[in-house]
Each structure stands twice: as structure tokens, then as C-alpha cells.
Amino acid sequence: MIEPAIQHKIDAWLSGNYDEATKSEINGLLERNEHESLADAFYKDLEFGTGGLRGIMGAGSNRMNRYTLGMATQGLCNYLKQNFPGERVKVAIAHDCRNNSDVFARIAADIFSANDIEVYLFEALRPTPQLSFAIRHLGCHSGVVVTASHNPKEYNGYKVYWNDGAQVTAPHDKNIIGEVNKITSIDEVKWEAKPANIHMLGQEMDEAYMAKVQSLSVSQEAIRNQHDLKIVFSSIHGTGITLVPEVLKRFGFTNVHIVEEQATPDGNFPTVVYPNPEEKEAMTLALNKAREIDADLVMATDPDSDRVGIAVRNLKGEFELLNGNQTGALLMNYLLLAWKNAGKLTGKEFIVKTIVTTDLIKDIADSYNVTMYETLTGFKYIAEKIRALEGKELYIGGGEESYGYMIGDFVRDKDAISACALIAEMAAVAKDRGQTLMEMLVEIYTQHGFYKEELVSFTKKGQRGAEEIQQMMADMRANPPQTIAGSKVLEVSDYKHSTRKNLVTGEESKLDLESSNVLQYLTEDGTKVSARPSGTEPKIKFYISVNEPLDSKENFDAVDRQLSEKIEQILVDLKLK
């Protein structure tokens, strides 16, 4: 049986001004008695969260479709008009390779234009960071990109940006949500486009963006010496193919090999299960090609090209995937060393990482006497920190463990295009010194300690799954562990309630970050465990970080085993396996 409230919503869609294809999809589910699918499609409205929309595509109030997108866009239009009275409001729009992304982008453009808002629409798919750049470059008030990042193929989404090129933060995020929630009917949406208000973006914006990326280069001599560094690149059927090969060429790299099977943009992602470079399986074809040609470096970007995963030769000469913490530590160390060697460190520079990203980055920053700030998970918070310090301190770079990096501040979101360029440059510098990137990383470990991290995710789909995740967090708050892998828990940080409690003294302090549903435990031996429900996927994530001193490269394997055993014990202790 379908619950009465859900049936009421279904009836409203079947009798409303929805197109026949939508009604036919709903009727098909009814005829096949697919009550669970109907319940999930209608049990709530697709939530316009602090980042925008994201959901499974299909008919229904809890699905990503032209109507849920249309109502969200109308709410955003209303907010922009209120927020910039008397101004000619401008927005930029981009989209990725996903099924319907181009259609959704055009619908959004039509609605903005119908509301007398000036629209700058990319003529074809482009990376998300280029949308952030375009907002700043064109002086837009806002922007949207149609993407679901690295979610499975049935998803799509819609991310909203503000006039600094960053995803919206307080107070605009909550205010936009309020305006979107006021739109209760598709009949309130202005659907009829005003074509004169829509302007297409193409090559000229690519050129402006790539010029900025080229300005980040700090080791041109190493690239000249190692221009034939063998690089394998995969765009995993996404937008990276539009810019990464060209940017690498402009940096001076002459030996870049594209994974052709994954080079054509395709929202069905036919060669992978998940289009996510964090997944080993998604990197299989790139790794095969790397072995075949004896490459130096492997890089792969996700569908909207804001994340990059890499593989390098390990100490045994075999290809190994680095995690986001390792790549982030390498990049931050590389940038800080380059700035120091160039005499550019004045004491007013800073880098940023998120609260679930390795503390190795803090140790590196401290060694250069550079300030490191911590933010909540999400690049909108890193961008917010840059905005707050503009004119006072200078941002060098930042990142988070989930394969996102942002170098320089001309883009205010994670940017895999510039990251690919700088990672390749860093590999050229390492090779120029007779090193691999892994040897460079081990050198960092001997200086600052060997940090090893593990991410464990549990997927809990649908209404029941969301309730299970809430219960897991409630249980951990009610019963925090006293020890983890034999080490006493010293501190519990509850970012939801903005408190940090010292379990030894009982003292509580205030966390100077906005509320977020994250719990973090710190133990006597430096182990850190964080629990965080994902904001964009039906998952709860556990981040584990352990560390030990490393006195020499020769002891790498022994300490690596020791840290792996400790992680295994933590997984058992916290019942995560």
C-alpha cells in the first residue's frame, strides 16, 4: 500500500501541468506495483541543500528532473533579484557530461533569462572549476553548474555559486533555501525563455582560464629538462578531456598519452562501475596503459574535473595509487618549497585543509612557518577563508582528502585542471632530482612522520538508510569510545554542537566553525578518527589517521606494516568491519 500523503503527491503530479512523458513514467510504476520506487520518488521533496540539488534522475518530487530544477532556479532568481536591487543581474552556467546535463543547463538558462537575468552559458560541456573562474572573470552575481560530480550514472545535480566564484555559504545558502521552499508549484516558474538575454561562452573563456593556470607554474626549467616525462591521462568519460591535455601541452609536456577508451564524454560511463578516481577500479585502464608504455605518472579526473587521482611508481618500481592525503601533502610541500626558494614567503601567506584531511599538511606548513587554517569539509569553506583574509594574507593553496586541490585563488573551488598541471610539474622536478614522487613523499615522511590514512564508507540508501545513519551518529555521541586500538581517547570534538571536550581534564572549549554533523576522536598516540555523514551521497564515512616516526627510507615497509596493523585494529575496535 502507498501511504496517503505519498499518494496525494502522486495524484498532484498526474493531474498537474507536467508533461506526458513524466506522467507516463509515474503511471508505469503504478501499473507495475513498484510501490517502493514510488515511495522513494515522492516521500519528500528533493532537498535544495546548502550546495544545491543532487539526486537520482526521474519523475517525482524527490528526483532530479526539469520540474525540481525549475522550481529551484525560480527560487534562486527571486533571491538574486532581492539581493541585488536595481542591478542588471548576471549568471554563468556550465554543465558536465552526464545524461541530461546539457538539457538541464538549457532549462536553467531559459528560466534565468525569462526572469530578465543576463545569462552566460557555456556552449558545450566544461569542467566545474571553469564555471567558478567565469563568474569572477565576467563579474557575475551567481552561477550554476549541472553536475553530480563522481556520483553513479543515475544521479545528476545542480551546484550554486556566489559572486566570488565559490559555492554559496551563510547567509546566502539558507536564504536561497528559504526562497526555493517558497516555490510550491511548477506554475510559479517562468519557463518561457528570452533568447536575447542568453550569451554563449566558448574558446575565449578557455583561453582566459588557461592563461591563469599557466601563471601557476614555478619550475619551468625542470619541465624543459623533463618535457618528455611519460604521462598517462584519463578523463573517465568526463569533462577533463576538454582542457587537461591542452594545459599539459602549454606547460611544456610533450609525451602525454590519453586513455582513448575513456576519452569520449559519456554519461553512462561505460568502462567503469563508478566514475570516481578514488575507486581503484576506475583507474584500471589508465594503469594498464601506464604499464604498457612504462609511464612515469598516471592522472585521472572525475566527470566534472574538480577531483584528480594519481598513480606513481612505488619503492619497488610498481604502480601504486596515492590517496588524496598523500597527493595533497606532496602538493603543499612542493608549493611551499618553491615559494621559499623564490624568496616569496613573507610571513603573511597561508594554506588551508579540512578537518578530516591529514595533519601531515599542518606539520609541513609549520616547518615553513606558514599559517595553516582548518575548515569544515567542502571547498566553499576554503573559499570563505580566502574571502575573509583578502587584502590581509595571501593564499598559496589548499586541499582535502577526497582528491580535491585548489592552487591560487582565481578559481574558488577545487580544480583538477590546475592540479594536473602542477602534479605533472612536481613529477618533472622529482625526476630532475633523480627521484620518483613516491621517493619525494617518503622524504617528507622522514622529516615529519609517516602518516597513513584509511577511509571506510557505508552506503545506506533511501529513507530507511538516512534514518540508520542518523542513529549511528546518535549512538556514537551517546557512547564515545574510551580507547581506540589500545590508546586512550584524549579529546572528542563534536562539530554539530561546536564543542571540544578534553576527557582527561573534563574541560570543554568552543570550536570556531559553523555547525556540521561530524564527530572526531583524538587519542594519546596521535590517532585521529572522524565520523561524517556525506552531504551529497547516501553514505556515512569514517576517516582514520595513524602516524609513526620514520627514520629512513629503508624502514618504510616495516613502518607501513605497523600502521596498517593499527588501522585494522581500529576497524575491529569500532566495529567497522
Side-chain angles (χ1 to χ4, degrees), residues 50 167-170 173-174 307 351-358 372-386 395 398-402 404 406 412-414 473 477 493-500 510-520 528 530-535 543:
T50 53
Q167 288 187 57
V168 288
T169 53
D173 51 2
K174 300 289 195 297
R307 299 169 194 249
I351 65 171
V352 191
K353 78 172 188 73
T354 68
I355 57 173
V356 295
T357 301
T358 181
M372 189 217 73
Y373 294 103
E374 260 193 341
T375 70
L376 296 175
T377 301
F379 271 72
K380 62 182 179 180
Y381 297 113
I382 295 178
E384 190 177 46
K385 180 59 74 174
I386 295 170
Y395 173 81
E400 63 181 12
E401 48 67 47
S402 58
M406 188 168 86
R412 298 292 173 95
D413 203 355
K414 52 186 177 281
M473 292 299 288
R477 281 192 170 89
S493 298
D494 187 341
Y495 289 86
K496 186 175 184 179
H497 300 115
S498 300
T499 57
R500 174 170 288 149
K510 191 88 174 146
L511 293 168
D512 188 25
L513 293 171
E514 71 177 78
S515 175
S516 181
N517 192 12
V518 181
L519 275 172
Q520 201 166 67
K528 188 183 275 187
S530 310
R532 183 181 79 89
S534 171
Y543 306 79

Side-chain angles (χ1 to χ4, degrees), residues 31 216 236 438 494 535-536:
E31 286 162 15
L216 296 172
I236 314 183
M438 181 59 90
D494 187 341
T536 56

Side-chain angles (χ1 to χ4, degrees), residues 1 20 94 103 125 150 160 187 191 256 267 281 293 324 328 341 345 383 401 434 453 458 491 501-502 519:
M1 275 290 292
E20 287 308 312
V103 176
L125 78 169
H150 57 283
V160 179
D187 298 326
W191 298 99
V256 178
E281 176 269 336
I293 68 165
N341 289 343
L345 292 181
E401 48 67 47
E453 283 83 21
F458 296 97
E491 271 182 10
K501 186 171 184 179
N502 185 314
L519 275 172

Side-chain angles (χ1 to χ4, degrees), residues 278 323-326 356-358 401-403 445 450-458 527-532 540-547 560 563-572 574 576-577:
E278 289 181 80
N323 63 39
N325 287 303
Q326 292 171 310
V356 295
T357 301
T358 181
E401 48 67 47
S402 58
Y403 290 56
Y445 288 157
F450 187 165
Y451 282 77
K452 188 168 181 123
E453 283 83 21
E454 181 98 5
L455 172 63
V456 182
S457 294
F458 296 97
T527 293
K528 188 183 275 187
V529 178
S530 310
R532 183 181 79 89
I540 182 167
K541 298 181 175 184
F542 294 88
Y543 306 79
I544 298 164
S545 177
V546 295
N547 66 87
D560 190 34
L563 292 172
S564 294
E565 285 164 10
K566 187 183 278 191
I567 288 171
E568 281 300 306
Q569 189 58 51
I570 291 167
L571 294 175
V572 171
L574 297 179
L576 298 179
K577 62 178 301 184

Side-chain angles (χ1 to χ4, degrees), residues 145-201:
V145 59
V146 179
T147 178
S149 190
H150 57 283
N151 277 52
K153 64 184 178 182
E154 60 266 28
Y155 282 79
N156 215 323
Y158 173 101
K159 290 198 286 194
V160 179
Y161 291 74
W162 204 241
N163 59 5
D164 63 342
Q167 288 187 57
V168 288
T169 53
H172 302 300
D173 51 2
K174 300 289 195 297
N175 293 345
I176 293 169
I177 290 168
E179 286 302 319
V180 170
N181 290 342
K182 286 178 189 175
I183 308 294
T184 57
S185 164
I186 60 168
D187 298 326
E188 296 171 55
V189 179
K190 295 179 181 176
W191 298 99
E192 290 300 318
K194 292 184 180 175
N197 290 336
I198 300 175
H199 316 282
M200 306 308 290
L201 297 177

Side-chain angles (χ1 to χ4, degrees), residues 332-344:
M332 292 307 110
N333 187 70
Y334 173 67
L335 289 169
L336 293 177
L337 179 61
W339 279 58
K340 180 186 176 185
N341 289 343
K344 289 165 64 179

